[in-house]
């Protein structure tokens, strides 16, 4: 058997080589590398896919968060509510802006922000809420948006992991993840659901004033050439990445279907193990399975990981610490209420290889090795 990877970018390139090679050589022949028609076409196509009126491409998913926070006017002294169990980028950008990340706990089943805990975290300093649609499915947005409306807070969806997922609101309306709240952000890092071959990111919004502000901030604060209205930054997506993204966008829904089939096969193979708590599937969201992440309930997570590693099977811990447990954030972030679920998840979770190029026999092999670990 070939070496199994968490995400197999070599196998993917081999599969899509003719499309990728044509797309990239066309850009090089056209000689337009920053901005230009390829970037414009990609943003238009992504806007159609998401049904998002404004897409602002930028350099990476972390910049996208900073641009979104600044567009909402987050300033020193403000507070921003966010989950304690997540990737570091949102807390990092809030802290860099001189504002305070206010952490709340997450749900033990979906690992996403617990909407019931949002309102108690609101103070007079609260400016915004950042929700993170973790591992491939959305947060429960309706109750969060209700609190946001009541206190006039901006809501940002960090959608770096769940691009393509559908959120189904309580009125039955379906919308793409990242287009439900005021601003959505994403990353096109090579392992994300929509990937380029380097760095890239984007911000989405339906609000044309916010869109204009984000566009201005991403382009040196320019309202027009050499007319600087704000202290901005240089954050842009290049044409080669846009060309690769256009190829991957065409395959996006097939990739999602394939990852769902992999997840179903894992579920099937692992269902009988009482030591595992398999990934929950929300009623209000489809799951694009950016990660297949389960919980190991008896403290043997690290032993399982080591046993798999010794048999050539990679796995990852996303994430080994909650935000407030990270050295740099101990004094910067504030916690609101118990962080028990976040702390426990950091000890329990394990993510297995999942990607669109995975073969059925590889999935079965991994599930068999996990079973063998518990049943020996
Ligand atoms: C990857 C990721 C980011 C950061 O994206 P970059 O492009 O690496 O800056 C932010 N938030 C989440 C949830 C992510 O998974």
């Amino acid at each position: 058997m070939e070496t199994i990877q968490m995400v197999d970018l070599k196998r993917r390139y081999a599969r899509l080589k003719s499309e990728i090679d044509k797309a990239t050589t066309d850009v090089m022949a056209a000689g337009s590398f920053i901005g230009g028609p390829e970037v414009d076409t990609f943003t238009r196509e992504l806007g159609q896919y998401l049904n998002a009126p404004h897409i602002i491409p930028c350099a990476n998913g972390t910049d996208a968060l900073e641009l979104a926070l600044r567009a909402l006017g987050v300033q020193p002294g403000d507070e921003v509510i966010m989950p304690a169990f997540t990737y570091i980028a949102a807390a990092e950008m809030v802290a860099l802006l001189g504002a305070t990340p206010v952490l709340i706990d997450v749900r033990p089943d979906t690992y996403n922000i617990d909407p019931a805990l949002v309102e108690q975290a609101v103070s007079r300093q609260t400016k915004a809420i950042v929700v993170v649609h973790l591992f491939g499915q959305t947060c429960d947005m309706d109750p969060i948006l209700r609190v946001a409306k009541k206190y006039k807070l901006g809501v940002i969806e960090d959608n770096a992991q769940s691009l393509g997922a559908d959120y189904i609101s309580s009125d039955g309306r379906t919308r793409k993840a990242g287009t439900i709240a005021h601003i959505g952000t994403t990353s096109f890092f090579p392992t994300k659901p929509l990937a380029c071959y380097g760095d890239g990111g984007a911000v989405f919004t339906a609000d044309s004033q916010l869109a204009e502000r984000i566009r201005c901030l991403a382009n040196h604060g320019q309202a027009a050439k050499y007319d600087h209205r704000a202290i901005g930054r240089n954050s842009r997506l290049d044409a080669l990445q846009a060309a690769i993204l256009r190829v991957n966008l065409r395959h996006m829904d097939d990739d999602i279907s394939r990852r769902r089939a992999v997840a179903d096969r894992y579920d099937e193979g692992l269902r009988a193990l009482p030591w595992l708590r398999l990934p929950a599937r929300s009623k209000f969201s489809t799951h694009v399975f950016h990660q297949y992440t389960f919980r190991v309930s008896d403290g043997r997570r690290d032993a399982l990981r080591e046993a798999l590693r010794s048999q050539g099977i990679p796995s990852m811990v996303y994430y080994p610490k909650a935000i407030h447990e990270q050295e740099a954030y101990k004094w910067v972030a504030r916690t609101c209420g118990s962080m028990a679920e976040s702390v426990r998840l950091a000890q329990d979770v394990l993510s297995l290889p999942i990607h669109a190029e995975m073969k059925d026999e590889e999935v079965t092999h991994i599930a068999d090795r996990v079973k063998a670990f518990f049943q020996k």
Side-chain angles (χ1 to χ4, degrees), residues 87-262:
Y87 187 60
I88 204 70
E92 183 178 40
M93 291 305 103
V94 168
L96 269 185
L97 291 175
T100 302
V102 174
L103 308 175
I104 62 175
D105 215 355
V106 297
R107 306 240 347 141
D109 50 358
T110 62
Y111 327 136
N112 270 328
I113 202 165
D114 188 339
L117 303 177
V118 175
E119 186 160 10
Q120 69 191 47
V122 176
S123 80
R124 295 166 76 119
Q125 279 72 47
T126 309
K127 190 62 148 282
I129 303 168
V130 179
V131 301
V132 182
H133 302 318
L134 208 62
F135 300 157
Q137 62 186 343
T138 74
C139 303
D140 188 3
M141 294 303 291
D142 284 340
I144 296 168
L145 293 173
R146 266 197 299 278
V147 174
K149 194 168 180 192
K150 180 169 167 189
Y151 298 97
K152 300 190 166 58
L153 307 174
V155 179
I156 297 167
E157 303 169 65
D158 178 350
N159 196 32
Q161 301 189 6
S162 300
L163 203 73
D166 288 314
Y167 174 69
I168 305 119
S169 25
S170 39
D171 62 7
R173 197 167 146 223
T174 296
R175 278 166 293 171
K176 287 283 177 206
T179 68
I180 306 148
H182 304 104
I183 306 184
T185 65
T186 202
S187 162
F188 303 128
F189 186 84
T191 58
K192 305 274 162 140
L194 180 59
C196 62
Y197 284 180
D199 274 311
V203 187
F204 339 123
T205 184
D207 180 320
S208 48
Q209 275 178 318
L210 283 175
E212 200 176 314
R213 213 173 301 157
I214 294 160
R215 216 165 253 129
C216 168
L217 287 169
N219 183 25
H220 298 291
Q222 292 186 122
K225 191 93 178 148
Y226 305 127
D227 177 14
H228 301 274
R229 301 289 177 87
I231 314 284
R233 63 163 55 254
N234 170 21
S235 188
R236 54 199 176 200
L237 181 74
D238 67 70
L240 276 169
Q241 302 308 337
I244 292 160
L245 285 162
R246 290 185 62 202
V247 173
N248 280 328
L249 183 59
R250 289 201 287 272
H251 292 277
M252 180 96 171
D253 284 336
D254 288 341
D255 291 342
I256 292 170
S257 305
R258 178 61 199 144
R259 288 199 305 273
R260 268 189 204 132
V262 170

Side-chain angles (χ1 to χ4, degrees), residues 176-347:
K176 287 283 177 206
T179 68
I180 306 148
H182 304 104
I183 306 184
T185 65
T186 202
S187 162
F188 303 128
F189 186 84
T191 58
K192 305 274 162 140
L194 180 59
C196 62
Y197 284 180
D199 274 311
V203 187
F204 339 123
T205 184
D207 180 320
S208 48
Q209 275 178 318
L210 283 175
E212 200 176 314
R213 213 173 301 157
I214 294 160
R215 216 165 253 129
C216 168
L217 287 169
N219 183 25
H220 298 291
Q222 292 186 122
K225 191 93 178 148
Y226 305 127
D227 177 14
H228 301 274
R229 301 289 177 87
I231 314 284
R233 63 163 55 254
N234 170 21
S235 188
R236 54 199 176 200
L237 181 74
D238 67 70
L240 276 169
Q241 302 308 337
I244 292 160
L245 285 162
R246 290 185 62 202
V247 173
N248 280 328
L249 183 59
R250 289 201 287 272
H251 292 277
M252 180 96 171
D253 284 336
D254 288 341
D255 291 342
I256 292 170
S257 305
R258 178 61 199 144
R259 288 199 305 273
R260 268 189 204 132
V262 170
D264 289 345
R265 185 168 281 265
Y266 273 136
D267 279 358
E268 194 62 38
L270 302 174
R271 200 180 337 264
L273 298 174
W275 305 273
L276 300 184
R277 199 158 158 190
L278 300 183
R281 300 175 188 213
S282 303
K283 281 198 289 291
F284 48 77
S285 175
T286 60
H287 204 319
V288 300
F289 284 100
H290 173 57
Q291 301 295 347
Y292 184 87
T293 304
F294 58 64
R295 301 182 66 170
V296 184
S297 62
D298 68 346
R300 291 164 78 196
R301 190 260 320 263
D302 294 337
L304 170 60
R305 192 170 180 219
E306 180 50 35
L308 293 174
R309 197 199 56 76
S310 71
Q311 299 171 88
I313 298 169
S315 63
M316 290 293 283
V317 174
Y318 302 117
Y319 296 93
K321 285 179 181 178
I323 303 291
H324 66 288
E325 299 177 300
Q326 292 286 356
E327 187 64 32
Y329 291 83
K330 277 179 186 156
W331 311 108
V332 172
R334 225 187 61 216
T335 56
C336 177
S338 163
M339 297 292 117
E341 300 296 353
S342 296
V343 170
R344 210 169 297 139
L345 279 171
Q347 296 161 4

